[in-house]
């Protein structure tokens, strides 16, 4: 079961829900391959179909742009295959193209991040929610 992190801006009416973790149908990466786009998706399909996967991890994670200081949700995938090779998806900020960094939600300090609408650092946590 995944969970949603809801953030709201105290300064304007911006609000956003980040769906994190994994849902019920996430027992196989192939089931949820549509979470990936473009080249990353092709690469993962190629690895799953044509290589020997030793270990893997995938879930929706919280990312941040270190340049814009904004929060983003992305589908994280890490695969180890063919005895020593590894693949990890990388994401860029849609606005400034800076590589996004994974944020550990347990140590998330919302005050560090800017509202995507008004730009002020006035974000606070809204209601928690669950999704599958
Ligand atoms: Zn950015
Ligand atoms: Zn705002």
């Amino acid at each position: 079961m995944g969970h949603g992190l809801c953030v709201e801006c105290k300064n304007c009416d911006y609000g956003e829900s980040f769906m994190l973790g994994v849902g019920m149908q996430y027992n196989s990466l192939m089931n949820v391959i549509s979470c990936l786009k473009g080249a990353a998706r092709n690469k993962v399909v190629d690895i799953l179909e044509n290589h020997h996967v030793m270990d893997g991890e995938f879930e929706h994670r919280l990312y941040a742009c270190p340049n814009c200081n904004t929060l983003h949700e992305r589908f994280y995938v890490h695969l180890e295959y063919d005895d020593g090779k590894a693949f990890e998806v990388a994401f860029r900020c849609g606005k400034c193209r800076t590589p996004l960094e994974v944020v550990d939600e347990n140590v998330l300090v919302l005050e560090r991040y800017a509202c995507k609408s008004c730009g002020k650092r006035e974000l606070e946590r809204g209601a928690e929610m669950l999704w599958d």
Side-chain angles (χ1 to χ4, degrees):
M1 175 99 58
H3 65 281
L5 169 72
C6 303
V7 298
E8 292 164 5
C9 178
K10 284 182 271 187
N11 185 56
C12 70
D13 61 3
Y14 162 84
E16 189 168 0
S17 304
F18 301 99
M19 299 302 176
L20 307 174
V22 291
M24 301 249 275
Q25 76 277 41
Y26 285 61
N27 52 345
S28 141
L29 180 52
M30 223 38 176
N31 281 355
V32 292
I33 197 72
S34 61
C35 293
L36 288 169
K37 308 267 179 284
R41 179 167 164 176
N42 295 339
K43 178 75 181 167
V44 167
V45 169
D46 175 57
I47 292 170
L48 293 177
E49 287 182 344
N50 304 314
H51 297 267
H52 181 56
V53 177
M54 331 279 289
D55 204 0
E57 209 188 341
F58 53 95
E59 63 177 359
H60 296 275
R61 285 193 179 179
L62 193 63
Y63 284 79
C65 172
N67 185 44
C68 306
N69 280 312
T70 48
L71 292 168
H72 306 267
E73 176 276 316
R74 293 287 188 275
F75 188 59
Y76 169 88
V77 176
H78 176 94
L79 294 173
E80 285 173 34
Y81 63 102
D82 290 356
D83 226 357
K85 289 188 193 166
F87 170 78
E88 192 170 277
V89 286
F91 300 103
R92 286 175 185 276
C93 174
K95 215 169 178 184
C96 70
R97 310 307 294 162
T98 301
L100 297 179
E101 295 171 354
V102 174
V103 177
D104 181 349
E105 213 198 327
N106 298 311
V107 296
L108 172 67
V109 181
L110 273 179
E111 290 75 24
R112 281 190 198 151
Y113 300 100
C115 169
K116 283 177 191 167
S117 178
C118 71
K120 289 216 163 30
R121 299 190 184 194
E122 300 271 355
L123 297 180
E124 63 179 3
R125 269 176 201 257
E128 292 284 323
M129 52 180 285
L130 298 173
W131 63 278
D132 74 354

